[in-house]
Amino acid sequence: MSVARFWRKQPQRYNLIGTKCEKCGRLFFPPRTLCPDCRRDGNIVEHKFIGDGTVVTYTVIRTASDQFKRLTPYVLAIIELDEGPRLTAPVVCTPEEIKIGMKVKKVFRKIAQDGESGPIYYGTKFVPVK
Amino acid sequence: MVGIITYGACIPRYRIKVEEIAAIWGDNADDISKGLGVHEKSVPDMDEDTITISVEAARAALARRSVDTDTLGAIYVGSESHPYAVKPSACTVGEAIGATPVMTAADYEFACKAGTAAVQTCMALVKSEMITTGMAIGADVAQGAPGDALEYTAAAGGAAFVIGNKDTIADINYTCSFTTDTPDFWRREGQAYPRHGGRFTGDPGYFKHVKGAAEMMLKHQGTEPSDYDYAVFHQPNAKFPSRVAHMLGFTKEQIKPGLVVPRLGNTYSGASLVGLAATLDIAKPGDRIFVTSFGSGAGSDAFDITVTDTIESDLFNRSAAPTVEELLADPIYLNYAQYAKHKGKIVMQS
Amino acid sequence: MREVAVIGIGCTEFGERWETSFRNLFVEAGVKAIEDAGLTGDKIDEMFVGNMSAGRFIDQEHVGALIADYAGLATNHIPSTRVEAACASGGLSFRQAVTTVASGMQDIVVAAGVEKMTDAGSSLSTDALAGAADREWEGFIGATFPGLYAMIANDYIHKYGLTREQLAQVAVKNHYNGARNPIAQFRKEITLDTVMNSTMVADPLRLFDCSPITDGAAAVILCPLERAHEFTDTPIKVLASTQASDTISIQDRRDISTLDATIAAGNRAFKQARVERKDIDLVEVHDCFTIAEICAIEDLGFCKKGEAGRLTAEGYTALNGTLPVNTSGGLKACGHPVGATGIKQVCEITEQLRGDAGKRQIDGAKIGMTHNVGGTGATVVCNILEVC
C-alpha cells in the first residue's frame, strides 16, 4: 500500500474514527462520506468509536498471502461495535478461544509491514475481554 | 510542584523460562537463575513492538485519568529498539492518543535509562511553563544475542508517565544525574545484537553510576535511605539492584514492590519506569519513593518522589488500567523455537 | 425489446494451460463458438469480454481491443468491450450482450470470458483475487478470500446448523459431475473422506471446499430469436438476464450468510422470464466454495434458508436428483477461470437444453438457469434459458 494511502486512513486505523449522518443518526465504520439512506441530503460528521464490541462470526486463517504467512494460524472476525457498525479485524487469541458472541475490546498492534525497509502499518486489533 | 499526573504500563503476555534457553545452549539453568535471580522473561507477540507497547502504556495512563490531549505538549519515547532508526515512535504514539498536531516530540536513546531521561525533559518543559503536561515513555523489545548471558534477561515491556504540575498523584521533589563516557555495553548502528564488557558492566558501570546519582540525591535532599518508604533501582537482574540497595543502606522490603525482574526480565528502557509503576500501584498518600535508573554508556538519573492524596482521589482511578501485577499474571509460555520466531532471530527469505 | 437466442457456444479445456497464452485461450474458445454457430467472423457486430484481472495476472489492460485484434476482427473495427465484476465478469458480459441484441442496437454479438491465472504464481493469484473483496477494510488487515467465505460459513452454521458431511457432499457431487465433463479441470470422482481430511485453509473451509486456480475461456454467440434459424437448428432462447449489487464487504451486509444480491437478481430473473422455481430443470450456481452453493440454492428460492445442506446430502441436487445443480462440475470441479465462468455456465445450460451433454445429460431438460457471483456477493447475474 502506498504511504499516502495508508496515511490517509491513520485516524481510522489507529483510533476507530468513523462517521455519523446527523440527519438520520446512522453511524458508519469504516467511514462513509455519503449516507446510503440520505445521500446528498445527509450531513456527515466524524465519530469516534470506543472500541468495545462482540464477535458476530469468525474464521481461523491457516493459508495466507506472503504478507501474513508468518502469523498463521490467526483469527479473523467480524465484530459488531457496541455502537452498531461492524468491522472486520484480527482477534488476538488462540483458535480455540474464539467464539461467536465473545466480548472483545480494541488493542493497538502491527497489522503488516512493507518488507524490511518499507513502512510498518499499525492499526487496531481486538482482544477478548476477560 | 512538578510531578506525575498519571501512569500506565504494558507487558506482553508471552514468556520464556530460563530452562528453555539454557537447554538450547547447554547452560546450567539452576546456576543461571540463581546467579541472575531471574527465572523467566517477557516476549513480545508477533505483532508487538516498542511502538505498540508505548501506545498501550500511554492509553493505560490516559484510562486512569482524564488528561486534555490538546494541551499535552510533548511526547518523548526512550528505547533501544525503536522500530525505525529514523521516524520517531513518539509521533505514532501522539497520533494514537489524539495529541497531534500541537506538540513537540522526539525519540530518546540512552540504553536502559532513555525513559527516565524523557521524564526529566518533560519535568523541565513543565517547570519552565513551556507545556502544560508532557508524556515520557520507556519501552523496549530488547534483543540479547543468542547464546549470550543477556539472552536470559532481555525482555519486552514499557511504562508511560504523564508529567505536569497540577493535582499530581506524586510530586517529583528533585532529580539529578550522574553521566560519564563508559563503554560497558553498546550496539553499533546496523548491528542486530548489543555487546558488553562482561564483568566490566558491574563496578565501573552500574554500581559507579547508580551510587554516584543516588549519593548526590541523598546529599542534596539531606535524607537517609530510612526516610523513604520504597526504592526502585534499575534491574538488569535481581542481584545488581539488591546489592546496590544494600550498599546504599536501603532494605529488601523497600525495593520489593518495584523488583519485578525475576518474573519479567529486563525491559531495558522500561525497567526503572515499570518498577516505579509497580510501586505506585501499591503506594499510599505520603509514601516517599527513591528511584535511580541506569543506562549503559553510561549514566544514572535519580528521583525523589512523594505520593500525594490525589492518588486516592476521584481525579485518579488506579483500577481503570491493569497494575503491573495484573500484567504479570496469566502468562503464555513459549519454547525456544517459538521465542526465536517471535524475536525475529530466524533468518527469513527476504 | 426483441427476444434473444444463443446460437453458438465454445469452451476451452479448463485447467493449468501452461502452453497456452491469454489471447490464444480466447481464440480457442471463439473459434469453437463460431464453428458451432456456423457463422463467419465478418458477421460479428460487437464483442463483450468478461475478465477480472488481466492487469494483475499478466500486466495487460485494454483487453477488449486485444481480444478483437487476435480474433482477427480489429480490421473490421468492431466495438469490443471488457467488463469486470470480479468472478461475475462473465455474467456481466452475457447480460451486456443480451441487452445489446434485445435493444436492437446490434444483431450478432459475442459474449466471452477469459482468465489466465497460472502465469502469476499462487501468491500473486491469491492477492489478486482478494481484490474482489474490500481491499481497504478486509484485505489489508489480513482477510483472504477463503477467509471471508469461511466467516459466511460460520455464521450459517451458527444460525441453521450444517454438518461437515453435508458441506462436503457439495464437492463430492460436483466432482462426480466434472468426471463426466470433457472440458473440466478435475475429472476424477472423490469421496467425502477426501474432502473432510484435506488441509484446512480457513476454518471451517478445507482445500476441497475451495474452487481451484484455472486458465480458461468460453464464448457464446447471440442473435435476435427471429434470425436464429439462419444459423442453427437448436436455438436456445434467453428468457431473462438480470443483475444486482450489494455491499462490497460482508461486514456491511444485512445478513452475513444470505446473499441479498442473489435474492434480488433471482427474483428479477423469474419475473422477467415469467417462470417459477418449479419450472427450472437444472441450475448452474456459483460454488466458489462449497458454502456458496448451499447459500445459492436457498437464496435463489429453491428451498428455505437452512435446508440446502440436508437436501444436498439426500441427493436432491445430484445428477439424478430432483433439481440437478452444477452438472458441469461447478467451479469446484470444472475449474474457475474467473472471467470465463459466467459464460461457461451459459454454455453448459445450452448443451443440456440441446441434448448434447453426453454422460451428464439431464433428460428432457427444457428450462435452465445460471447464477454467477462477484466477490462475496456484491454482484450477482442470473440468466434463464429455454429450449425453443
Side-chain angles (χ1 to χ4, degrees):
Chain A
M1 184 169 273
S2 75
V3 292
R5 186 173 173 188
F6 177 76
W7 160 84
R8 185 176 300 129
K9 293 287 180 267
Q10 264 173 192
Q12 285 71 35
R13 299 197 191 280
Y14 289 9
N15 289 317
L16 297 181
I17 310 278
T19 49
K20 176 179 177 175
C21 175
E22 288 202 310
K23 178 141 190 291
C24 66
R26 256 184 92 172
L27 292 168
F28 303 107
F29 191 87
R32 285 181 183 266
T33 46
L34 210 55
C35 172
D37 294 329
C38 308
R39 284 187 292 279
R40 278 176 308 141
D41 289 335
N43 182 24
I44 297 286
V45 297
E46 269 190 7
H47 181 95
K48 183 170 183 196
F49 292 88
I50 293 170
D52 294 330
T54 311
V55 172
V56 171
T57 182
Y58 69 90
T59 183
V60 180
I61 307 279
R62 296 185 193 263
T63 302
S65 62
D66 278 353
Q67 264 278 15
F68 294 96
K69 233 173 17 181
R70 293 175 205 183
L71 301 178
T72 58
Y74 57 91
V75 174
L76 196 75
I78 292 183
I79 292 158
E80 186 164 299
L81 296 169
D82 284 354
E83 297 95 330
R86 292 173 169 177
L87 75 159
T88 308
V91 179
V92 182
C93 71
T94 63
E96 294 73 35
E97 282 176 275
I98 187 76
K99 302 251 176 308
I100 291 178
M102 197 165 88
K103 293 258 175 265
V104 291
K105 62 178 182 182
K106 71 174 186 188
V107 74
F108 191 84
R109 293 289 174 105
K110 267 196 303 200
I111 300 295
Q113 65 185 42
D114 183 6
E116 290 300 308
S117 62
I120 304 171
Y121 305 120
Y122 294 97
T124 299
K125 296 191 182 183
F126 288 81
V127 286
V129 171
K130 298 246 181 271
Chain B
M1 170 78 87
V2 71
I4 300 165
I5 299 295
T6 179
Y7 70 97
C10 171
I11 298 174
R13 275 189 73 191
Y14 290 98
R15 305 279 181 276
I16 184 168
K17 290 192 205 261
V18 162
E19 298 94 273
E20 266 300 314
I21 303 173
I24 298 295
W25 304 115
D27 289 336
N28 184 306
D30 263 345
D31 287 350
I32 304 273
S33 23
K34 284 205 184 73
L36 295 172
V38 174
H39 46 84
E40 61 193 48
K41 66 172 191 173
S42 61
V43 182
D45 201 342
M46 293 292 291
D47 56 359
E48 290 184 287
D49 64 11
T50 291
I51 286 180
T52 67
I53 289 169
S54 297
V55 169
E56 286 291 304
R59 286 180 173 176
L62 297 177
R64 285 178 163 147
R65 184 165 185 172
S66 164
V67 172
D68 180 12
T69 50
D70 283 347
T71 56
L72 185 78
I75 300 181
Y76 294 93
V77 178
S79 180
E80 46 189 282
S81 55
H82 288 291
Y84 291 86
V86 178
K87 188 182 179 303
S89 305
C91 295
T92 306
V93 173
E95 177 81 39
I97 62 168
T100 53
V102 182
M103 59 174 231
T104 183
D107 280 358
Y108 274 1
E109 184 280 310
F110 197 140
C112 303
K113 86 160 189 76
T116 53
V119 171
Q120 290 178 323
T121 305
C122 285
M123 286 172 66
L125 289 172
V126 168
K127 276 185 116 160
S128 62
E129 296 181 354
M130 284 173 70
I131 63 174
T132 307
T133 54
M135 184 180 275
I137 300 174
D140 254 302
V141 290
Q143 284 282 29
D148 180 82
L150 291 177
E151 197 185 17
Y152 290 101
T153 52
F161 285 77
V162 176
I163 307 297
N165 57 14
K166 190 165 177 291
D167 297 319
T168 65
I169 59 169
D171 288 334
I172 303 178
N173 306 313
Y174 187 65
T175 185
C176 61
S177 299
F178 185 98
T179 310
T180 68
D181 183 350
T182 304
D184 59 308
F185 163 102
W186 66 92
R187 182 168 65 79
R188 292 283 297 279
E189 186 74 63
Q191 290 290 302
Y193 303 114
R195 288 179 57 175
H196 55 89
R199 286 189 55 80
F200 180 74
T201 62
D203 286 335
Y206 183 94
F207 293 98
K208 172 175 167 181
H209 296 78
V210 172
K211 276 182 65 189
E215 281 166 357
M216 268 184 357
M217 171 66 77
L218 292 167
K219 183 159 178 218
H220 184 276
Q221 297 295 81
T223 49
E224 306 271 342
S226 53
D227 292 321
Y228 298 90
D229 297 283
Y230 300 107
V232 179
F233 295 101
H234 174 50
Q235 36 199 300
N237 52 59
K239 291 298 164 76
F240 279 18
S242 305
R243 182 141 66 97
V244 85
H246 181 74
M247 283 160 88
L248 291 165
F250 290 91
T251 67
K252 276 200 180 65
E253 285 66 42
Q254 283 173 307
I255 64 169
K256 192 162 182 289
L259 193 69
V260 289
V261 64
R263 293 169 289 154
L264 173 59
N266 177 6
T267 54
Y268 284 48
S269 296
S272 302
L273 293 182
V274 171
L276 175 57
T279 307
L280 287 172
D281 284 342
I282 52 97
K284 299 208 163 2
D287 281 347
R288 200 159 176 188
I289 309 172
F290 188 94
V291 180
T292 306
S293 64
F294 171 73
S296 292
S300 281
D301 302 325
F303 302 84
D304 179 336
I305 295 170
T306 304
V307 179
T308 71
D309 289 335
T310 310
I311 204 171
E312 286 181 355
S313 76
D314 287 338
L315 289 174
F316 180 75
N317 183 3
R318 202 153 34 187
S319 60
T323 61
V324 171
E325 281 306 312
E326 284 164 351
L327 291 170
L328 287 173
D330 202 16
I332 302 170
Y333 289 98
L334 300 176
N335 60 39
Y336 193 88
Q338 293 168 317
Y339 155 80
K341 177 181 162 195
H342 278 232
K343 293 296 293 269
K345 286 176 155 166
I346 300 177
V347 179
M348 309 289 282
Q349 175 90 281
S350 56
Chain C
M1 294 282 269
R2 310 186 289 184
E3 291 186 295
V4 181
V6 177
I7 55 170
I9 58 171
C11 273
T12 66
E13 276 188 26
F14 281 9
E16 291 176 314
R17 299 287 306 269
W18 301 111
E19 325 74 30
T20 315
S21 67
F22 176 88
R23 60 194 75 180
N24 286 339
L25 281 170
F26 169 80
V27 171
E28 205 181 293
V31 164
K32 278 190 184 179
I34 290 261
E35 286 174 351
D36 185 53
L39 267 178
T40 50
D42 55 313
K43 296 225 165 24
I44 295 174
D45 293 321
E46 180 151 2
M47 281 211 299
F48 289 92
V49 57
N51 171 263
M52 175 178 169
S53 200
R56 291 212 63 201
F57 288 120
I58 57 165
D59 294 314
Q60 176 69 55
E61 306 288 8
H62 212 175
V63 168
L66 175 67
I67 291 310
D69 186 0
Y70 276 74
L73 298 172
T75 38
N76 290 2
H77 310 297
I78 65 162
S80 178
T81 308
R82 180 260 200 107
V83 288
E84 184 274 328
C87 332
S89 298
L92 251 65
S93 169
F94 186 73
R95 183 170 168 274
Q96 292 298 306
V98 167
T99 311
T100 305
V101 175
S103 65
M105 285 291 282
Q106 303 282 23
D107 272 18
I108 315 292
V109 178
V110 171
V114 53
E115 209 81 44
K116 175 77 186 167
M117 302 172 77
T118 56
D119 280 352
S122 76
S123 184
L124 175 53
S125 283
T126 306
D127 193 69
L129 290 172
D134 188 337
R135 177 71 68 181
E136 196 82 45
W137 303 108
E138 290 175 319
F140 182 72
I141 51 88
T144 59
F145 208 62
L148 293 171
Y149 269 95
M151 289 203 282
I152 289 176
N154 277 326
D155 183 74
Y156 184 100
I157 293 166
H158 182 73
K159 289 180 166 125
Y160 312 107
L162 181 69
T163 67
R164 182 58 267 198
E165 286 80 359
Q166 288 168 341
L167 195 56
Q169 185 57 32
V170 173
V172 171
K173 165 184 74 70
N174 289 343
H175 272 256
Y176 180 88
N177 298 347
R180 289 147 180 80
N181 186 351
I183 62 129
Q185 182 168 4
F186 299 122
R187 286 176 236 162
K188 271 190 354 174
E189 292 176 26
I190 58 171
T191 63
L192 274 184
D193 272 344
T194 305
V195 183
M196 298 195 326
N197 293 331
S198 59
T199 317
M200 190 70 90
V201 172
D203 298 25
L205 299 179
R206 295 179 180 264
L207 188 63
F208 273 74
D209 286 300
C210 308
S211 55
I213 303 285
T214 319
D215 300 327
V220 300
I221 308 190
L222 303 174
C223 80
L225 183 60
E226 69 217 14
R227 286 190 62 188
H229 64 271
E230 294 173 36
F231 308 106
T232 177
D233 297 325
T234 54
I236 301 299
K237 186 157 70 155
V238 179
L239 294 182
S241 184
T242 64
Q243 183 175 331
S245 61
D246 197 351
T247 64
I248 185 138
S249 65
I250 51 173
Q251 68 200 26
D252 282 344
R253 298 280 164 80
R254 178 193 63 84
D255 179 57
I256 289 171
S257 47
T258 301
L259 269 55
D260 281 352
T262 295
I263 298 178
N267 285 341
R268 286 173 192 164
F270 282 103
K271 188 164 171 214
Q272 207 177 91
R274 283 193 269 249
V275 302
E276 290 168 25
R277 268 80 179 172
K278 62 175 173 56
D279 299 323
I280 303 294
D281 296 313
L282 73 160
V283 60
E284 286 281 296
V285 305
H286 197 87
D287 61 317
C288 46
F289 299 90
T290 46
I291 185 67
E293 175 163 323
I294 299 289
C295 290
I297 295 164
E298 296 168 351
D299 298 337
L300 286 170
F302 291 112
C303 69
K304 285 212 207 47
K305 208 71 195 152
E307 283 184 359
R310 180 182 54 84
L311 289 172
T312 303
E314 288 171 2
Y316 188 86
T317 58
L319 211 52
N320 59 2
T322 312
L323 175 69
V325 173
N326 284 337
T327 56
S328 67
L331 279 59
K332 174 68 193 75
C334 189
H336 183 36
V338 178
T341 285
I343 301 295
K344 175 222 86 182
Q345 291 175 329
V346 173
C347 293
E348 175 68 10
I349 297 298
T350 300
E351 275 203 301
Q352 289 276 2
L353 295 181
R354 286 175 178 177
D356 287 343
K359 291 209 185 85
R360 61 193 196 286
Q361 182 66 49
I362 304 302
D363 291 326
K366 292 211 164 19
I367 302 181
M369 185 173 193
T370 72
H371 162 260
N372 189 209
V373 178
T376 54
T379 301
V380 172
V381 174
C382 286
N383 303 306
I384 299 180
L385 302 145
E386 182 182 37
V387 80
C388 280

